[in-house]
Amino acid sequence: MGIFRGVELKGWNVDRFDGVAVRQHHENGSVSVELDVTTKCHAGCEIYADFDGKRVLLKNGHGIIKVDNPKLWWARGYGDQPLYDLDVELVCGGEVIDRCHKQLGLRTLTVSTEPDADGKGSEFCFVLNGVKIFSMGANLVPMDNLLSRITDQRWETIVRQAVDANFNTLRVWGGGYYPDSRFYELCDQYGLLVWQDFMVACANIYLTSEMAEEFTQEAICNLKRLHHHASLALLCGNNEMESGVINCCARLMPRTSPPGRPVPPPAAVLTTRTTPPRATPTTGRSGTAAFPSPPIVKSASASAPSTALRASPP
């Protein structure tokens, strides 16, 4: 495939932003937006943030802006998708030398794994702003084998197709690539939740320290770019890796190593299992966990046919 996105070589003789990290804290009907900003050279310049009509000086790159009576962001069919503008400026000697702009949707999102009523299993359910979401969606795979042909207009088309199909969730498959930022901006705008796989899939990888570092840097790069998006609902470690190791590769394909070189563990087993935050289920009249019924949202279709969406099985 090779390089398919633009390549730039940048040089500067003043400081520049390295990262703008955003966290949200929801409490008692208000939201505190916490900012941590880092720069390339740590030159001691001033950093200002503008958000919700407030301008704040970030001391040592850190600050909190409180939003009273926030307008919450909702998945499609459950409410509106208000987006707040965040502008961060790096000021040195009274001159703005770098800027960063992001749009934020204010919301909470957890995963409920409440046990089923019969005790034989448990649910796996997004809980958005305290409300259970019945996810309806599809798997998103690369739209073209030549990725440089995927334009902003094609991202608009595929997201509009999901909207027209009454979806509220898209899963980015781990065997593809990290989509352009425009995709996540459109999902923010239209209220689509994104299940995001890390780009590791369908293989028993010979995990060297060099490859582990590549995975780490790729994750850091993309999370810096994407973490603030309201649509980003879940990060999944890989696609079909553990099952491949457990059910196939580990038993049927003995792994070998060059003489004198230890066999590293497969990438799939280098995971940490955690328990997602629990949420109080919405209960129906029977007393069992139930989902609020999402409304059917109709919209005029202006999109062209595409093979990138695959309907999820029932």
Side-chain angles (χ1 to χ4, degrees):
M1 173 60 67
I3 297 172
F4 67 93
R5 289 186 172 119
V7 176
E8 295 178 320
L9 181 62
K10 294 182 178 180
W12 60 86
N13 57 6
V14 292
D15 209 352
R16 283 289 183 268
F17 285 132
D18 183 52
V20 177
V22 182
R23 298 177 181 86
Q24 298 180 25
H25 307 281
H26 293 243
E27 187 176 10
N28 298 326
S30 65
V31 179
S32 295
V33 177
E34 182 180 5
L35 302 174
D36 279 297
V37 180
T38 55
T39 62
K40 296 283 188 182
C41 304
H42 311 288
C45 300
E46 294 179 327
I47 301 173
Y48 291 91
D50 292 279
F51 188 77
D52 191 37
K54 304 179 181 71
R55 184 172 177 85
V56 176
L57 172 64
L58 305 183
K59 297 181 180 179
N60 298 318
H62 180 267
I64 295 177
I65 302 175
K66 186 176 181 181
V67 181
D68 294 316
N69 302 313
K71 298 177 181 178
L72 298 182
W73 185 93
W74 291 92
R76 177 173 172 75
Y78 288 83
D80 296 329
Q81 295 80 43
L83 297 173
Y84 289 75
D85 289 308
L86 169 66
D87 291 286
V88 184
E89 293 181 342
L90 184 61
V91 180
C92 191
E95 179 184 357
V96 177
I97 59 175
D98 202 5
R99 289 184 173 90
C100 176
H101 174 76
K102 297 179 184 290
Q103 284 195 312
L104 309 182
L106 304 181
R107 52 87 171 143
T108 63
L109 195 149
T110 59
V111 173
S112 172
T113 55
E114 291 292 331
D116 293 337
D118 59 11
K120 296 182 179 180
S122 61
E123 66 184 11
F124 189 95
C125 172
F126 290 138
V127 182
L128 179 63
N129 300 324
V131 176
K132 286 190 175 184
I133 301 298
F134 188 88
S135 289
M136 302 176 291
N139 199 42
L140 180 67
V141 303
M143 291 184 282
D144 199 310
N145 286 331
L146 298 178
L147 301 180
S148 60
R149 298 194 301 201
I150 302 177
T151 62
D152 284 354
Q153 181 56 50
R154 291 183 71 179
W155 284 120
E156 176 89 29
T157 296
I158 204 69
V159 170
R160 284 297 305 272
Q161 286 181 333
V163 169
D164 293 345
N166 205 42
F167 291 170
N168 61 22
T169 306
L170 288 174
R171 180 258 185 148
V172 178
W173 175 57
Y177 73 111
Y178 292 97
D180 297 345
S181 295
R182 183 57 180 155
F183 166 71
Y184 301 91
E185 292 169 359
L186 289 165
C187 289
D188 289 348
Q189 176 184 340
Y190 286 104
L192 297 177
L193 297 172
V194 177
W195 172 307
Q196 175 69 58
D197 282 3
F198 286 100
M199 293 300 119
V200 194
C202 309
N204 184 17
I205 296 174
Y206 189 96
L207 187 65
T208 63
S209 58
E210 293 85 358
M211 184 172 288
E213 180 63 17
E214 288 283 347
F215 289 152
T216 300
Q217 292 305 317
E218 182 180 68
I220 290 172
C221 177
N222 283 284
L223 289 178
K224 277 186 175 182
R225 177 172 67 98
L226 303 175
H227 78 279
H228 67 281
H229 285 285
S231 56
L232 187 61
L234 183 145
L235 298 170
C236 179
N238 62 74
N239 173 77
E240 299 179 10
M241 297 284 284
E242 290 91 344
S243 60
V245 171
I246 294 171
N247 299 325
C248 177
C249 298
R251 292 185 290 106
L252 303 180
M253 299 175 63
R255 303 172 66 249
T256 60
S257 177
R261 185 175 182 180
V263 177
V269 302
L270 297 183
T271 58
T272 302
R273 297 185 181 274
T274 59
T275 302
R278 291 188 176 273
T280 303
T282 302
T283 56
R285 292 184 179 179
S286 65
T288 59
F291 294 96
S293 298
I296 301 298
V297 182
K298 296 182 179 180
S299 61
S301 176
S303 52
S306 171
T307 59
L309 290 177
R310 298 287 187 265
S312 299

